[in-house]
Each structure stands twice: as structure tokens, then as C-alpha cells.
Amino acid sequence: MIALLFRDLQLAFRAGGGFGLGLAFFLIVVVLVPFAVGPQSELLARIAPGVLWIGALLACLLSLDRVLALDWEDGSLDLLATAPLPLEAIVTMKSCAHWITTALPLVVISPLLGVLLHLPGAGYLWLVISLLLGTPALSVIGTFGAALTVGLKRGGLLLSLLVLPLYVPTLIFGAEVARRGAAGLAVETPLLMLAGISAASLAVLPFASAAVLRINLR
């Protein structure tokens, strides 16, 4: 299992499907926002949690089509499906590799980008906590979408259309945690909802992804 995780991490870095691409996209989105809405500090501070969460969501979406595509193209996905490891565990490791290479760097850099958007000081901790709790759901849901579209030519657009509606609850509660934290309000309710979404995704979607892959590989 650990060897499979390291293999996927190496593929992500070598193929350019992880760390650099998502991080650069996240940075570009956040930097462009002040140019679009103006330099008003109060306005930027008010929209900062939502902008940072939308940027993180789109950055995670950007590399989803490569989660399973590389293994499909070189035939290793068939070998993995017939390996002694459960397919559910293989899918979970791929989701974990996507989170490490794409979402984790976004979590690390988000406080720095919050400075650009004049995020209130009380919001930095809650922004990081919300991203740490919510981005695993983005990776797991995205892997499920990648399993649905694996093997399809030009399946990237279809993948986005399938996954984006499933991302909406995570976006709503994640941004709400950061917004309430920045305003000094109670965050317990959206925080528990966000944690519940991630926990449910991790518990259910690897089995759904494995079932879809078995159908596609027949």
C-alpha cells in the first residue's frame, strides 16, 4: 500500500499533474481577484473566505483527469485491478496521493494568499482548519468522478460537469467556517457538517469508485 502511494506521488510530480499546476492556478486566481473587484480592503476581507475556497476547489479539479488516466493509458490499471490488494484500497491510495500533491500545498500556502485578500487575523486558523477538513472530500469525490470517466476520450469536461455539483456542499460549509471564524462567530455547526461530509465521502466513495472501475475494466 505504501509502495503504491509513493509510486502515485512520483507519477504526479513527473507527469506534471499535481503540485506545480494546482498551486500556480490557485495563486493566479487569488492574485487576479483584487484587480477585478478593486483594492477596497473591506470588500476583499468580506469575500476572502469564498474566493480562497473557490480557488482551492478549482485547483483540485484541475488535476482530477490524471488520477486514473495515466494508469489507464499504460495498462497498469488492469494489473492493479487483478492484484491481491483490494481495489477499494487502491482507489483510496490514489485519492490520498491526489490530496498530498494538490490539496496539501494549497492548505500550506492559503494563509499567505489570505494576506493578499486582507483576510481578518481571526480567520487564518479557521481557513486552514476548514481546508484540512474539506479538501479530503474534494479528492475522494474527484477520484469517484475520475473512475466514472476513465477511458473516455476527452473526458475532462464530462468529469468537471459530474464532480462540480458534488463539490457544492463542501464549498458552502468550508467557506462558511472560514467566514464565521474571520468574523468571530460560532463555527461549530458548519465545522461539524464539513467534517461529516469528508467522513461520509471517505467511508462510502472508495467502494463506489471500485465498483465503477470493475464495470469499466470488463
Side-chain angles (χ1 to χ4, degrees), residues 108-141:
V108 173
I109 201 175
S110 60
L112 177 61
L113 298 183
V115 175
L116 298 177
L117 296 177
H118 299 277
L119 183 70
Y124 288 96
L125 176 62
W126 292 112
L127 172 66
V128 172
I129 291 174
S130 67
L131 288 172
L132 281 174
L133 278 179
T135 49
L138 300 183
S139 293
V140 175
I141 294 171

Side-chain angles (χ1 to χ4, degrees), residues 49-50 53 130 170-180 194:
W53 253 96
S130 67
T170 305
L171 171 65
I172 291 173
F173 292 112
E176 185 66 8
V177 169
R179 186 191 69 80
R180 290 194 182 189
L194 185 63

